[in-house]
Amino acid sequence: MQTIISNINKSFENRVRLGVMSILMVNDWVDFNEFKETLNVTDGNLASHITALEKEKYIHVRKAFIGKKPNTSFQATVEGKQAFQEHLNALEALIKGSL
């Protein structure tokens, strides 16, 4: 039996992961510092959530240098965008009270 919350993806339950994916849905690549400032989280907190999303293959990680400074940026994968859209659809169905 399917419940009203069956399609909610546990990978996006946390507010930081929800924020990361929301930002990546409307931006191609976003760097670590931009996430940190936008979401108002610590380095460690953000890094742990990024790692969780990367393990699920929901985001790509790109490491590069800008001048002599390291820069890490992120992009949502096709799978990540699809999973996040399904999660949003499940939330919308929950709000509307339908399966």
Side-chain angles (χ1 to χ4, degrees), residues 10-57:
K10 289 190 73 65
S11 296
F12 307 125
E13 285 182 352
N14 181 279
R15 72 174 186 89
V16 175
R17 293 183 203 172
L18 186 67
V20 166
M21 288 305 294
S22 296
I23 292 166
L24 289 178
M25 291 293 281
V26 296
N27 293 284
D28 192 26
W29 287 93
V30 179
D31 72 28
F32 189 88
N33 287 329
E34 188 174 342
F35 274 134
K36 195 171 90 167
E37 291 171 14
T38 303
L39 299 173
N40 193 30
V41 293
T42 64
D43 288 6
N45 192 3
L46 179 57
S48 67
H49 291 293
I50 290 288
T51 299
L53 292 170
E54 185 181 12
K55 283 181 182 176
E56 293 290 332
K57 302 201 183 321

Side-chain angles (χ1 to χ4, degrees), residues 31 62 89:
D31 72 28
R62 177 177 65 189
N89 292 344

